[in-house]
Amino acid sequence: MTASMSDIAKLIKSFDTELRKELSTSRSGLFRNDKGDLFIRANVPLGQSYPDEVIGIFADPADLDFYYKIYLMEED
């Protein structure tokens, strides 16, 4: 079963605090390793492949907010 973009956005939002902490200093994202564990990775370079599944990569907090606005369709 494929997750919808809304489901993915909800998953990302569940890591919002940790993600925003890293986004304050560098491009960061949410990843899933081969064991299924989700984790935040900071200092994510552009244009590379990653050994882990990419759930979402964001440039800064405004980028994350824009993502939520598009895919969550709800106001906080």
Side-chain angles (χ1 to χ4, degrees):
M1 182 174 161
T2 304
S4 71
M5 290 303 293
S6 177
D7 291 338
I8 294 168
K10 289 174 186 172
L11 179 62
I12 291 168
K13 189 153 181 122
S14 71
F15 286 83
D16 188 77
T17 302
E18 300 93 331
L19 191 54
R20 284 184 188 279
K21 180 181 176 191
E22 298 301 336
L23 285 171
S24 68
T25 59
S26 68
R27 176 180 301 277
S28 303
L30 181 64
F31 292 78
R32 183 184 342 254
N33 65 21
D34 58 358
K35 296 176 184 168
D37 300 323
L38 295 167
F39 63 96
I40 302 294
R41 176 178 288 156
N43 299 314
V44 177
L46 282 173
Q48 289 191 354
S49 62
Y50 307 99
D52 301 300
E53 176 188 0
V54 176
I55 307 299
I57 297 174
F58 305 94
D60 55 33
D63 188 24
L64 182 61
D65 290 338
F66 185 69
Y67 180 84
Y68 290 155
K69 184 175 181 179
I70 292 171
Y71 294 112
L72 290 180
M73 302 293 188
E74 61 186 40
E75 294 182 24
D76 289 330

